[in-house]
Amino acid sequence: MKRILTLALVVTMAATTARADISMPIKDSFYDKLGRGISDIVTSPSEMLDSQYGMIDTEGDNVAFCKGFLVQGISRMVMDIGTGVFEVVTSPFPTNNGSYRSQKMPPYDSMVVNQYPPGDLTNWY
């Protein structure tokens, strides 16, 4: 009985002292911005294949190559390289409203096509 009470006391003390403060998000730093820029530069060629692969089922092979690989893929690759070079060069300085957050905008096109409209039609394209 003493062992169980001692174990419960140890577990309770560990649980009360080992708390995480999740009230404030972690701010990006110089190293985050530098790593993000290097990552954008290194992984940018994958955008060509990713854009093409996403269109093969919906658009067909020829359109996926022309539109996905040549147009959308190359433009995304160039934008990623530009953003990466910008973030590497300006990594010592906070550029996004006084912070080290990314300059890259989230993708506007998720390539998800809904075949049928929703029932309420208020949020249909």
Side-chain angles (χ1 to χ4, degrees), residues 27 36 39 50 65 83 100:
K27 294 183 179 180
R36 196 170 45 239
S39 171
D50 184 47
F65 177 74
T83 304
Y100 291 97

Side-chain angles (χ1 to χ4, degrees), residues 63-104:
V63 175
F65 177 74
C66 293
K67 182 180 172 185
F69 184 80
L70 295 178
V71 177
Q72 192 175 29
I74 291 176
S75 68
R76 285 183 180 177
M77 182 186 76
V78 169
M79 286 189 299
D80 278 357
I81 289 174
T83 304
V85 167
F86 176 78
E87 287 193 348
V88 167
V89 170
T90 63
S91 59
F93 314 108
T95 54
N96 193 358
N97 295 329
S99 70
Y100 291 97
R101 285 179 293 183
S102 177
Q103 299 287 334
K104 195 174 185 180

Side-chain angles (χ1 to χ4, degrees), residues 31-48:
Y31 300 106
D32 296 325
K33 189 173 182 181
L34 181 64
R36 196 170 45 239
I38 292 171
S39 171
D40 281 347
I41 293 169
V42 171
T43 61
S44 63
S46 68
E47 291 289 344
M48 293 188 297

